[in-house]
Amino acid sequence: MHVPDGFFDAPVSVGAGVVAAAGLGLCLRGARRELDDRTAPLAGLVAAFVFAAQMINFPVGAGTSGHLMGGALAAVLVGPYTGVLCIAVVLLVQILFADGGITAYGINVTLMALVGVLVGYGVFRLVTAVLPKRRSTVTAASFLGAALSVPASALVFVGLFAIGGTADLSLGAVAAAMVGVHLLIGLGEGLITAVTVGGVAAVRPDLVYGLRDARQPLEIRKPQTAGA
């Protein structure tokens, strides 16, 4: 999914950069409501985990491999605004490893951070709003949100390619390749996300942002007096 330099023309690259800058500005403000002394260190750990996980590719068939995008995972663990910032930082650092181009940074942020989190966390919230608020629901919703976020980002990629792609490829071929492969990659994304969120929820549910609404308030019962 990492877009290299020169794959899109200048208008699309600049336009995506403007969208990315506006989105990151909004997320910087929103993250203030999500982060506190307890969750701020977790955001750093999530960013480090996503960075390391993106370095590991898993096969999806026909000689094609994929890797974690991490948008849904980050959003469920630390919140959607902070999740976008985590992925944006990861993408910035990865430029140093020639994984994604400098001029395509705005495109990559738009695809993997903004779209990935928007779709992934949106599906997650929809599922948790319909089903009973349990840890198992959070795990299942994490899987579904992550699995759908990947092909959604691929569809946006195809749309951008239709507007300003520079490669000598037909739009139909790009759409078939991107959506088909990323449907399979999405399954791997969903599995990694569900296992990670489920593991953290089992040990420290208080650190999972997506579990905040599921936690039951503490009830204080007064001791009954004799003869009452």
Side-chain angles (χ1 to χ4, degrees), residues 143-190:
F143 172 85
L144 190 59
L148 293 179
S149 69
V150 176
S153 297
L155 282 173
V156 176
F157 176 95
V158 173
L160 293 178
F161 184 85
I163 298 172
T166 60
D168 187 18
L169 298 170
S170 68
L171 181 61
V174 172
M178 287 295 295
V179 176
V181 169
H182 284 85
L183 280 172
L184 297 176
I185 294 176
L187 296 177
E189 177 98 9

Side-chain angles (χ1 to χ4, degrees), residues 5-184:
D5 290 322
F7 201 85
F8 290 94
D9 60 19
V12 169
S13 298
V14 172
V18 172
V19 171
L24 292 178
L26 177 64
C27 290
L28 281 171
R29 298 180 60 182
R32 298 175 183 176
R33 300 190 297 269
E34 295 174 345
L35 294 175
D36 53 33
D37 293 339
R38 181 180 56 185
T39 57
L42 180 62
L45 292 175
V46 168
F49 175 80
V50 172
F51 176 81
Q54 285 193 1
M55 295 295 184
I56 302 174
N57 291 333
F58 52 85
V60 294
T64 306
S65 63
H67 62 73
L68 181 76
M69 281 177 39
L73 171 63
V76 174
L77 288 179
V78 295
Y81 294 111
T82 307
V84 169
L85 298 179
C86 288
I87 303 303
V89 169
V90 169
L91 293 172
L92 184 61
V93 174
Q94 285 181 335
I95 293 177
L96 301 176
F97 296 86
D99 205 355
I102 297 177
T103 60
Y105 179 68
I107 295 174
N108 287 320
V109 168
T110 299
L111 294 176
M112 288 189 279
L114 296 180
V115 176
V117 168
L118 179 63
V119 174
Y121 193 71
V123 172
F124 171 85
R125 292 296 297 174
L126 180 62
V127 174
T128 54
V130 174
L131 298 179
K133 292 179 171 58
R134 301 170 181 169
R135 293 180 189 175
S136 59
T137 299
V138 170
T139 302
S142 300
F143 172 85
L144 190 59
L148 293 179
S149 69
V150 176
S153 297
L155 282 173
V156 176
F157 176 95
V158 173
L160 293 178
F161 184 85
I163 298 172
T166 60
D168 187 18
L169 298 170
S170 68
L171 181 61
V174 172
M178 287 295 295
V179 176
V181 169
H182 284 85
L183 280 172
L184 297 176

